[in-house]
Amino acid sequence: MSLPHVRFLHPAPLPVGPRLARGWRLTAYAAGGAAVRLGRRSAVVDALLTAAGVRQGAFIGAWNPLSRAMPRRWNDRALARLRGLAQRGGRRCIAGRGHAAKPPWAEDHLLMLGDLRPITVLARRFRQHAILRVRLRAASRLLVLR
């Protein structure tokens, strides 16, 4: 299975099933009026990064850890904890939402701006499979963490 614009950040990549890979490809990641898809560039995301004075950031969530469906209230509390930890650590965050039309799917997330290292640490702490990295004038790239 070919996954363009995907990078595995662990020594032995676990097999990524076709359903999860398809979901990542079909999802539109949005925050602050800007949206991007995996492997694409977005002028609006570039403008958002430029206005914030950063060169990169990542879409990160806390919902459904390890792709296991959790109740909405649980997911909302997890995202609130993620936002609180990010803000206490000095990370700038913009509320966002990932969504796909077929199959219909949506999940709240954050666009965190700045250095990816602390963002990656938070994503692992909240047991997320991946984050979507965005960089100025570059195609978005999925960083698979687990």
Side-chain angles (χ1 to χ4, degrees), residues 36-55:
V36 68
R37 288 184 181 272
L38 173 60
R40 305 254 172 89
R41 203 178 143 225
S42 168
V44 182
V45 169
D46 284 352
L48 190 75
L49 294 172
T50 300
V54 298
R55 296 189 49 77

Side-chain angles (χ1 to χ4, degrees), residues 7-102:
R7 181 172 172 218
F8 291 88
L9 296 183
H10 46 82
L14 299 175
V16 176
R19 189 170 172 210
L20 185 56
R22 182 174 187 269
W24 286 335
R25 280 193 312 271
L26 297 177
T27 297
Y29 300 84
V36 68
R37 288 184 181 272
L38 173 60
R40 305 254 172 89
R41 203 178 143 225
S42 168
V44 182
V45 169
D46 284 352
L48 190 75
L49 294 172
T50 300
V54 298
R55 296 189 49 77
Q56 66 182 345
F59 288 92
I60 174 178
W63 278 30
N64 305 322
L66 300 175
S67 299
R68 291 187 182 103
M70 298 299 283
R72 174 69 190 240
R73 289 175 65 184
W74 190 97
N75 284 328
D76 287 343
R77 284 192 307 269
L79 189 63
R81 282 193 312 274
L82 172 62
R83 182 181 292 113
L85 284 171
Q87 289 172 339
R88 281 192 291 282
R91 302 268 65 144
R92 289 180 282 173
C93 303
I94 302 168
R97 188 164 184 80
H99 57 87
K102 286 186 178 181

